[in-house]
Amino acid sequence: MSLQPNPIPDPNTVNVDQSEQTKSRRLWIDSAMRIVKSKTSFIGLCIILILILTAIFAPLIATHSPTAQDIINRYQPPSSEHFLGTDELGRDIFSRIVHGSRISIQIGVIAVGIAMIIGVLLGGVAGYFGRWIDQIIMRIIDIMMAFPSILLAIALVAVLGPGLTNAMIAVGIVGIPQFARIVRSAVLSIKETEYIEAAKSIGAKHGRVLMQHVLPNCVAPIIVQTTLSIGTAILDAAGLSFLGLGAQPPTPEWGAMLSDGQAAIQNAPWVVAFPGLAIFFVVLGFNLLGDGLRDALDPRLKQ
């Protein structure tokens, strides 16, 4: 039995791999520093961190049960007992908004997760293979984009039935075209690069090339679109709940709170003002952070 010496790694190859890893690490560190230095993106990041912390510690922050009713104290203005007042059933608005932050995060994660997974796969396949596959997928995407997003979401919820889960599925489906088009555009440019041609020349299968070489290089636009889509998903889900197609009573969802309080907007404006402000600031936070990420991850804006 003959012993064969282990192959000695080429030092040039090792140096190239280490150089690429170092360059990638520096890119993300530099992007993080650009986000922190940007005032608008930093404000958006702070708003999102406050939302996440509020959702995590909701039982500790809330002063009352979000579903406890006190008809005697209905429509009470903001006070030391009820920081943001009470609604038509005497429920504490502050506690309902705090617990509603959990639902907003759930909507953002699930709805955008559905849109991202399906949209990235469709856009990647369409851009990589092209020809008739690209034509079929993109024509379906064009048809979906021909409908206003809220109308398409209403139609889907009408088919699936009202409820928070179905609303998240509908909002996720509505968000698929944005991810598909962005990923397709990125794949069309990436698949023509030299390292993709090298992977094909050594016999790598299409699925491996797409999943291990092409899509990982589309991470930057996917991250930006995901951040921007979360705010849109929260806003769309709130709109569905406002119409009675999303979260059902007594779920403390911000859009449903707006719907419940619209009848008393003149006599008790705090019932709709504070849930509306919560939606406004959360959507604003994700939009500001998304714009900051887009600037930070754009190599054309680097000195």
Side-chain angles (χ1 to χ4, degrees):
M1 181 177 181
S2 61
L3 297 177
Q4 296 181 354
N6 294 327
I8 300 176
D10 186 357
N12 294 329
T13 304
V14 175
N15 292 334
V16 170
D17 292 341
Q18 293 178 350
S19 176
E20 291 296 329
Q21 293 177 0
T22 303
K23 183 185 294 185
S24 177
R25 192 180 301 112
R26 288 178 178 176
L27 173 64
W28 289 106
I29 294 175
D30 179 63
S31 299
M33 293 300 297
R34 290 165 63 90
I35 293 174
V36 173
K37 291 180 180 180
S38 174
K39 293 182 180 180
T40 55
S41 59
F42 183 73
I43 292 173
L45 180 61
C46 291
I47 293 175
I48 295 172
L49 289 177
I50 292 173
L51 173 68
I52 295 174
L53 292 176
T54 302
I56 294 175
F57 299 104
L60 300 177
I61 297 175
T63 57
H64 299 76
S65 170
T67 57
Q69 300 181 11
D70 186 6
I71 302 299
I72 297 177
N73 292 317
R74 63 196 298 261
Y75 290 134
Q76 291 293 315
S79 62
S80 58
E81 176 67 20
H82 301 283
F83 297 152
L84 303 182
T86 60
D87 61 7
E88 72 281 358
L89 296 177
R91 296 172 296 190
D92 184 71
I93 295 177
F94 174 76
S95 300
R96 289 178 63 79
I97 290 178
V98 168
H99 282 271
S101 62
R102 290 185 166 185
I103 298 177
S104 296
I105 292 178
Q106 180 183 0
I107 292 171
V109 172
I110 295 178
V112 176
I114 294 172
M116 180 182 65
I117 293 173
I118 299 177
V120 168
L121 290 177
L122 291 178
V125 170
Y128 182 79
F129 291 101
R131 298 184 180 181
W132 61 270
I133 297 178
D134 182 27
Q135 292 294 325
I136 292 176
I137 293 177
M138 296 315 297
R139 294 300 77 76
I140 295 175
I141 296 299
D142 291 338
I143 292 174
M144 294 179 65
M145 295 190 69
F147 295 93
S149 59
I150 189 64
L151 292 182
L152 182 58
I154 291 174
L156 291 173
V157 174
V159 174
L160 298 174
L164 183 60
T165 301
N166 292 337
M168 290 187 291
I169 294 174
V171 173
I173 294 174
V174 169
I176 291 175
Q178 286 74 21
F179 282 94
R181 293 179 70 90
I182 288 175
V183 172
R184 175 181 177 271
S185 300
V187 170
L188 287 175
S189 60
I190 293 173
K191 74 174 185 178
E192 302 297 335
T193 55
E194 294 181 356
Y195 66 90
I196 299 298
E197 296 296 332
K200 294 179 181 178
S201 64
I202 63 176
K205 296 182 178 179
H206 292 300
R208 182 176 181 179
V209 174
L210 179 61
M211 300 302 297
Q212 296 187 6
H213 299 286
V214 178
L215 291 182
N217 286 281
C218 302
V219 171
I222 291 175
I223 292 176
V224 174
Q225 183 59 36
T226 299
T227 307
L228 294 172
S229 296
I230 292 177
T232 303
I234 294 174
L235 189 60
D236 289 344
L240 292 175
S241 297
F242 181 82
L243 297 175
L245 300 175
Q248 302 298 307
T251 305
E253 200 275 332
W254 296 340
M257 293 174 64
L258 289 175
S259 178
D260 294 339
Q262 61 177 330
I265 189 172
Q266 294 183 349
N267 298 327
W270 58 86
V271 177
V272 295
F274 294 117
L277 287 174
I279 296 173
F280 168 78
F281 281 112
V282 169
V283 174
L284 177 64
F286 280 105
N287 288 339
L288 292 177
L289 181 59
D291 290 338
L293 285 172
R294 181 169 51 198
D295 295 340
L297 298 176
D298 190 348
R300 295 171 297 181
L301 297 179
K302 299 182 182 296
Q303 297 296 332

